[in-house]
Amino acid sequence: MPYIVLMLYLAIALALQFLMGDFPVSFFAFPLNVIVAVLWFGLMIWLWRNRKKSLFVSFMLSRGATLCAITIFLLFGLVIGLTGLRSLVNTWVFVAFLLYFQTVLLFVIMRGWRAQTATGAHLGEIRWRFILNHAGLLLAIAAPFWGAPDSETVRLQAFKDMPVREAYRMDGTSVWMPYETELKEFRVETYSNGVPSMYEAELLIEGEPVALKVNHPYSKGFGENVYLTGYDAVAGEDTSYCIIQIVKEPWKYGAAAGIALMLAGALLLFAAGPKKRYGEDD
């Protein structure tokens, strides 16, 4: 029965994909994504504390639920990695699966963060390696998932001595930035064959002087970086404009923290080795 419910859950997501197109990611921008995340987390905690013997909780803690989550996760990873179809991450099926994956992982953490005692109660010692690895994985997945509506990448053509606010998203739609950008100076160095070896731009961003080089972004604010990506190659140093890319990822620090936790857990596993179990006669 639980597996039928899981299949029905994914089938509903597939039906929504055909009926409505891709998942409306931008609709859940801050603060709605935070509200939904808190409600989801609170509901899972309530179910764990008050409905441990329910069919839902029993399935989420079962080996089958874990195997399904890992198998589907690997399948999505292989498909995206081999085909390059990154558009899959915006589908209803992918979003529904990631929510399922996080739910299984959260229940596993709530069950196993303390070692079991002889009576089976979860009152033993804290399992720090378990917590670091599993909580790190959950955070590394949850931060991009819940933060996706707040992430945005736009490009702006900055002209010499002409403040500009209009930028363009990757789909070609325009967006007005909350600050002006203006190109003041541009320098380019080339190899003997004329191929650019380095170029940099001096800009005014919101009235503040900013020096930009390729692969050396400027941090505009929390989770917002500005990159120099192009210019008029024909005009060279006499170019009248340069192209900058503005990337907003305010939740990326959560993903970085999750990866750091998993690295710490891996180091503890390496340092301490597998935990030995002893019987009564040892």
Side-chain angles (χ1 to χ4, degrees):
M1 181 65 179
Y3 296 100
I4 296 176
V5 174
L6 176 60
M7 293 175 62
L8 180 61
Y9 169 69
L10 295 176
I12 291 174
L14 185 61
L16 288 172
Q17 181 67 33
F18 281 108
L19 293 174
M20 303 176 61
D22 286 345
F23 184 84
V25 178
S26 58
F27 176 78
F28 290 91
F30 182 84
L32 187 56
N33 55 349
V34 175
I35 294 173
V36 175
V38 171
L39 290 175
W40 166 79
F41 186 78
L43 177 61
M44 296 305 108
I45 296 294
W46 182 86
L47 287 171
W48 169 251
R49 290 181 175 180
N50 300 281
R51 295 291 187 272
K52 283 186 179 180
K53 296 183 179 180
S54 67
L55 187 62
F56 176 80
V57 175
S58 298
F59 173 69
M60 287 299 167
L61 290 173
S62 67
R63 182 176 299 179
T66 301
L67 290 176
C68 286
I70 294 174
T71 301
I72 300 174
F73 187 82
L74 291 175
L75 287 175
F76 268 115
L78 286 173
V79 171
I80 295 174
L82 295 176
T83 65
L85 293 175
R86 293 187 58 83
S87 58
L88 280 176
V89 301
N90 294 323
T91 62
W92 283 87
V93 176
F94 188 80
V95 171
F97 164 70
L98 275 188
L99 185 60
Y100 162 73
F101 188 92
Q102 293 173 77
T103 303
V104 172
L105 190 53
L106 180 58
F107 276 109
V108 170
I109 293 172
M110 290 188 292
R111 177 183 61 183
W113 72 282
R114 278 185 181 272
Q116 291 189 2
T117 61
T119 60
H122 290 49
L123 299 174
E125 63 180 5
I126 297 175
R127 302 171 65 193
W128 291 110
R129 291 179 292 178
F130 176 90
I131 293 174
L132 289 173
N133 283 295
H134 288 77
L137 177 59
L138 178 60
L139 188 57
I141 294 175
F145 176 82
W146 298 104
D150 299 326
S151 300
E152 187 176 39
T153 299
V154 299
R155 288 193 173 184
L156 181 145
Q157 198 170 8
F159 291 93
K160 270 191 175 180
D161 303 318
M162 186 171 68
V164 177
R165 284 182 178 267
E166 187 175 17
Y168 293 89
R169 300 185 180 94
M170 296 299 101
D171 60 3
T173 58
S174 63
V175 56
W176 289 90
M177 304 301 295
Y179 50 82
E180 293 181 337
T181 303
E182 178 183 347
L183 175 64
K184 302 303 293 183
E185 298 290 340
F186 190 85
R187 293 179 293 276
V188 59
E189 297 178 3
T190 60
Y191 296 109
S192 57
N193 58 1
V195 176
S197 61
M198 186 278 298
Y199 53 92
E200 58 182 336
E202 298 286 341
L203 301 103
L204 283 179
I205 299 180
E206 203 171 19
E208 180 181 350
V210 173
L212 275 186
K213 292 184 180 180
V214 178
N215 298 325
H216 291 78
Y218 164 69
S219 180
K220 177 65 181 64
F222 182 79
E224 181 175 350
N225 289 328
V226 181
Y227 298 82
L228 179 62
T229 60
Y231 67 100
D232 185 352
V234 176
E237 286 194 353
D238 297 325
T239 182
S240 60
Y241 69 89
C242 69
I243 299 173
I244 63 173
Q245 182 166 288
I246 303 163
V247 181
K248 298 180 181 179
E249 294 178 312
W251 291 62
K252 66 179 181 180
Y253 302 105
I259 294 173
L261 289 177
M262 286 191 291
L263 288 174
L267 288 174
L268 285 179
L269 284 172
F270 177 78
K275 187 172 182 179
K276 296 180 180 180
R277 297 181 180 273
Y278 297 97
E280 294 180 357
D281 298 327
D282 292 336

